[in-house]
Amino acid sequence: MSTFLWIIFIVVALLAGVALGFFIARKYMMNYLKNNPPINEQMLRTLMMQMGQKPSQKKIKQMMRAMNNQVDNK
């Protein structure tokens, strides 16, 4: 019976470790992306120019605000 209890204990510990690791990794990535956004104003300006649009500062600020709001809502 002792072997059976050890197997149960190992399986429970493994599942707890996987769940804990998932939540720690998720929290780390959310903080990383919040502190280091994948796109900045210069990249957005270049992207808009490549699409043939003349980017104004107002439009760039508006798009950055929309992207930041989308990240904050999640």
Side-chain angles (χ1 to χ4, degrees), residues 26-52:
R26 182 176 182 270
K27 180 72 173 168
Y28 173 79
M29 285 304 297
M30 293 296 274
N31 285 337
Y32 178 81
L33 289 175
K34 189 172 186 175
N35 294 334
N36 303 308
I39 191 165
N40 59 18
E41 289 183 18
Q42 184 62 35
M43 295 168 94
L44 193 57
R45 183 176 285 114
T46 303
L47 180 66
M48 289 176 73
M49 289 176 73
Q50 287 177 348
M51 291 189 308

Side-chain angles (χ1 to χ4, degrees), residues 2-39:
S2 178
T3 306
F4 180 72
L5 289 176
W6 275 106
I7 292 172
I8 295 293
F9 178 71
I10 290 171
V11 169
V12 169
L14 180 65
L15 291 176
V18 168
L20 188 63
F22 171 77
F23 287 111
I24 290 172
R26 182 176 182 270
K27 180 72 173 168
Y28 173 79
M29 285 304 297
M30 293 296 274
N31 285 337
Y32 178 81
L33 289 175
K34 189 172 186 175
N35 294 334
N36 303 308
I39 191 165

